[in-house]
């Protein structure tokens, strides 16, 4: 049994996949992923087969040696693709009040001339150009009754994880995983420079908040309940979003999608339904802890005090984390087989560590909360920061390493910068 991307691959399914590979040497990986999607009934809310997610799962199963994929087919190209240039549509200069534009409509963009106009406008005037957009998406052109096209915008898949957004919603880890697709990102918004009309941007955003839920349901089979967007502080003030009733939830940390650095952005959110919070925060099928008295809330030992609040999506995973911590505490220098002392316990630890659904941030978050509880017991605390280098030069296959010394030393590893709190007497209170 293997679990990847939230899907269970039983021994029977693994055997069936391998049999399909062995019985048809010409079977492509794409065709195989479609077959597996049909066997598992792996579909998105609109009923389409989740081919790319399945492709990722098959690659991971191959990496774990649970199956052996057929060789990837090579493609040969005689010349590199040349990016296509799109001409912007005609835009009439206009300046003044909103009444000058007449009725404002949002025209949903599909294939054809409107798609070319949308791409041309965004490529000509938007600092991010027209794309690429991530995942599910819907695009609009803004049409004025008297002046034609006066803007464009798009909505697409939301960011995977943003701390201030999660805090504003009140998400735990299980609810975030289950309802992430109900949040949609306003990924592009443009009013061309020639159109200088007061309140136009806020008016368009208000129209979009009314229009997007129905269009999204038509395209993908479910309605979003929250919109998000990210406004670069160095470029924009975000006043249009505030004027349209969007809430400022906080700021990003500037890490970017791949952790390589990005500009700081203000995070704005727009609820679409009165009961948006209950819809986003319910985690169906995940048992929630029930605490009926102050005595029931008290942790049983230091391990539960530090890590008992880790929200891993399943209470059984939290229980496994606590058990593992106790085992390694008893034998801190031992490897996994030595600590566990029997094969099936060691296998349980390996499965926990290989589980892609478990985020290390969620484990540390529980410790941070315990640290904050201890801080409240002291009037004065000291906060020290320090950088440590971890040398992994002998681990040739480890990914994500970088230089941690001089160029001549060629030492590779990780840089760890932590913030530790202490009492004035020097007693450590925990990581912040």
């Amino acid at each position: 049994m293997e679990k990847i991307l939230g899907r269970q691959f039983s021994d029977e399914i693994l055997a069936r996949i391998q049999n399909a590979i062995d019985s048809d040497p010409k079977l492509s990986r794409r065709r195989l992923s479609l077959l597996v999607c049909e066997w598992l009934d792996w579909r998105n809310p609109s009923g389409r087969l989740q081919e790319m997610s399945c492709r990722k799962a098959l690659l991971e199963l191959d990496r774990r040696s649970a199956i052996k994929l057929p060789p990837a087919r090579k493609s040969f190209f005689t010349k590199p693709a040349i990016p296509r240039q799109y001409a912007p549509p005609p835009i009439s200069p206009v300046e003044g009040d909103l009444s000058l534009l007449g009725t404002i409509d949002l025209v949903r963009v599909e294939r054809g001339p409107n798609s070319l106009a949308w791409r041309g406008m965004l490529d000509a005037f938007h600092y991010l150009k027209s794309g690429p957009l991530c995942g599910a998406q819907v695009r609009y052109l803004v049409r004025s009754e008297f002046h034609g096209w006066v803007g464009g915008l798009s909505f697409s898949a939301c960011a995977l994880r943003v701390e201030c957004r999660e805090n504003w919603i009140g998400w735990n880890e299980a609810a975030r995983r289950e309802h992430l697709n109900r949040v949609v990102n306003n990924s592009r918004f443009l009013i061309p420079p020639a159109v200088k009309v007061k309140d136009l941007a806020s008016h368009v955003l208000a129209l979009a908040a009314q229009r997007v839920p129905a269009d999204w349901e038509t395209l993908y089979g479910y309605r979003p309940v929250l919109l998000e967007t990210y406004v670069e502080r160095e470029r924009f003030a975000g006043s249009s979003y505030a004027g349209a009733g969007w809430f400022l939830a906080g700021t990003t940390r500037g890490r970017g999608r791949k952790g390589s650095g990005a500009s700081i952005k203000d995070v704005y959110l727009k609820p679409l339904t009165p009961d948006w919070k209950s819809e986003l925060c319910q985690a169906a099928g995940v048992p929630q802890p029930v605490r009926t008295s102050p005595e029931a809330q008290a942790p049983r030992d230091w391990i539960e005090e530090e890590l008992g609040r880790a929200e891993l999506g399943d209470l059984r995973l939290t229980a496994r984390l606590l058990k593992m911590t106790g085992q390694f505490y008893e034998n801190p220098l031992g490897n996994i087989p030595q600590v566990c002392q029997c094969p099936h316990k060691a296998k349980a630890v390996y499965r926990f560590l290989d589980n892609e659904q478990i985020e290390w941030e969620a484990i540390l978050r529980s410790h941070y909360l315990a640290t904050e509880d201890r801080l409240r017991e002291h009037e004065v605390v000291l906060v020290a920061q320090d950088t440590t280098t971890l040398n992994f030069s002998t681990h040739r296959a480890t990914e994500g390493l970088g230089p941690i010394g001089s160029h001549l030393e060629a030492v590779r590893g990780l840089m760890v910068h932590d913030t530790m709190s202490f009492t004035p007497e020097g007693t450590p209170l925990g990581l912040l």
Side-chain angles (χ1 to χ4, degrees), residues 96-103 146 197:
D97 295 328
L98 191 60
S99 59
L100 295 175
L101 300 181
T103 302
F146 302 138
V197 177

Side-chain angles (χ1 to χ4, degrees), residues 161 163 167 173 291 297 299 301-313 315 317-319 321-322 325 352 358-376 429-432:
R161 186 182 295 278
E163 184 175 358
N167 292 337
E173 186 61 18
R291 296 186 172 117
Q297 298 181 18
D301 54 25
W302 69 267
I303 299 175
E304 186 170 321
E305 179 181 353
E306 294 302 310
L307 303 178
R309 286 178 280 187
E311 295 175 348
L312 305 182
L315 292 182
L317 292 175
T318 304
L321 171 65
L322 301 182
T325 303
F352 181 93
I358 297 174
E359 300 283 350
W360 62 267
E361 294 97 333
I363 297 174
L364 273 181
R365 196 173 299 121
S366 178
H367 168 65
Y368 296 153
L369 292 173
T371 300
E372 292 173 8
D373 290 342
R374 287 188 286 273
L375 293 180
R376 295 187 182 97
L429 298 174
L431 286 171
L432 294 174

Side-chain angles (χ1 to χ4, degrees), residues 204-233:
V204 170
L205 289 170
L207 292 176
Q210 299 171 8
R211 178 76 182 272
V212 167
D215 286 347
W216 200 271
E217 185 175 27
T218 299
L219 289 170
Y220 301 108
Y222 64 94
R223 295 177 76 91
V225 298
L226 185 71
L227 300 178
E228 68 171 18
T229 198
Y230 302 89
V231 178
E232 282 199 26
R233 282 187 164 188

Side-chain angles (χ1 to χ4, degrees), residues 119-140:
R119 289 181 180 275
M121 184 187 297
L122 272 291
D123 284 344
F125 303 114
H126 199 285
Y127 72 103
L128 294 177
K129 307 299 183 182
S130 61
L133 305 179
C134 297
Q137 56 194 258
V138 61
R139 299 176 294 161
Y140 299 97

Side-chain angles (χ1 to χ4, degrees), residues 89-95 101 144 146-150 192-197:
I91 297 173
S92 301
V94 56
E95 183 173 355
L101 300 181
S144 159
F146 302 138
H147 293 273
W149 302 131
V150 292
V195 180
K196 301 176 181 179
V197 177

Side-chain angles (χ1 to χ4, degrees), residues 258-425:
K258 298 182 179 180
S260 55
S263 60
I264 300 295
K265 299 180 179 67
D266 289 324
V267 181
Y268 284 86
L269 300 172
K270 172 67 173 176
L272 299 175
T273 64
D275 56 349
W276 64 273
K277 191 174 184 67
S278 61
E279 292 188 51
L280 288 178
C281 292
Q282 281 187 341
V286 178
Q288 300 296 321
V290 178
R291 296 186 172 117
T292 57
S293 67
E295 291 77 13
Q297 298 181 18
R300 292 172 296 180
D301 54 25
W302 69 267
I303 299 175
E304 186 170 321
E305 179 181 353
E306 294 302 310
L307 303 178
R309 286 178 280 187
E311 295 175 348
L312 305 182
D314 190 321
L315 292 182
R316 293 170 295 182
L317 292 175
T318 304
R320 172 62 60 186
L321 171 65
L322 301 182
K323 187 173 183 178
M324 286 169 46
T325 303
Q327 291 172 322
F328 282 100
Y329 174 73
E330 294 293 334
N331 187 2
L333 298 182
N335 57 33
I336 292 177
Q338 292 170 340
V339 167
C340 297
Q341 297 183 346
C342 70
H344 73 271
K345 291 182 180 180
K347 187 174 183 180
V349 172
Y350 284 123
R351 281 185 171 177
F352 181 93
L353 298 176
D354 285 337
N355 191 331
E356 294 182 340
Q357 302 302 315
I358 297 174
E359 300 283 350
W360 62 267
E361 294 97 333
I363 297 174
L364 273 181
R365 196 173 299 121
S366 178
H367 168 65
Y368 296 153
L369 292 173
T371 300
E372 292 173 8
D373 290 342
R374 287 188 286 273
L375 293 180
R376 295 187 182 97
E377 300 174 2
H378 302 272
E379 292 186 2
V380 177
V381 296
L382 305 179
V383 177
Q385 300 185 43
D386 185 39
T387 301
T388 301
T389 57
L390 305 180
N391 189 335
F392 286 97
S393 295
T394 59
H395 296 65
R396 301 297 182 188
T398 302
E399 299 178 351
L401 303 178
I404 60 173
S406 69
H407 177 70
L408 295 177
E409 292 174 323
V411 180
R412 296 180 61 77
L414 299 174
M415 303 288 289
V416 180
H417 187 82
D418 59 54
T419 304
M420 178 76 79
S421 57
F422 298 86
T423 67
E425 295 75 30

